[in-house]
Amino acid sequence: MYMLKHVLHGSDDGDAVTVLKNCRAVIPQSGSLLVIEFILPPIVSHADPQLEGHLMSDLNMLAVTGGRERSEREWRTLLEAAGFILTGVYPVGGDNLMVRNVGILEAKPA
């Protein structure tokens, strides 16, 4: 099992896919990759002070590094582009809401 924690959100899509492809090159077919990152909701429908910091971080990263926070759909797209299949998304914490929108994305080789 391999793990990346808060590594990819500062990268643009191309660089993130390159890192993920490098991981895929060394992970055996029976292995897995855990990506621990912020996961934005698909739609922001109301003011949320907890989410506000991540949205500001998103704008800052976009302006400075080209990176950004991503939704589950965007993470799935990056993982698939690198040869993985997203097999699970698990919130961090004991309830259905992600603590500070952090989640664990589990991916297996395609």
Side-chain angles (χ1 to χ4, degrees), residues 31-109:
S32 61
L33 173 68
L34 299 179
V35 178
I36 303 169
E37 288 282 359
F38 300 114
I39 302 174
L40 293 177
I43 297 174
V44 179
S45 59
H46 63 281
D48 182 345
Q50 196 173 38
L51 185 57
E52 184 178 326
H54 295 303
L55 295 174
M56 293 306 294
S57 173
D58 184 38
L59 289 174
N60 184 49
M61 279 189 293
L62 185 60
V64 176
T65 68
R68 64 179 199 269
E69 306 296 2
R70 295 174 173 93
S71 67
E72 180 181 332
R73 181 182 52 83
E74 292 169 317
W75 285 115
R76 181 183 309 275
T77 299
L78 287 180
L79 289 162
E80 288 175 356
F84 288 98
I85 297 170
L86 183 62
T87 57
V89 179
Y90 309 99
V92 173
D95 58 14
N96 291 333
L97 298 175
M98 286 185 226
V99 177
R100 295 188 210 114
N101 298 91
V102 173
I104 301 171
L105 302 132
E106 181 182 19
K108 304 269 186 194

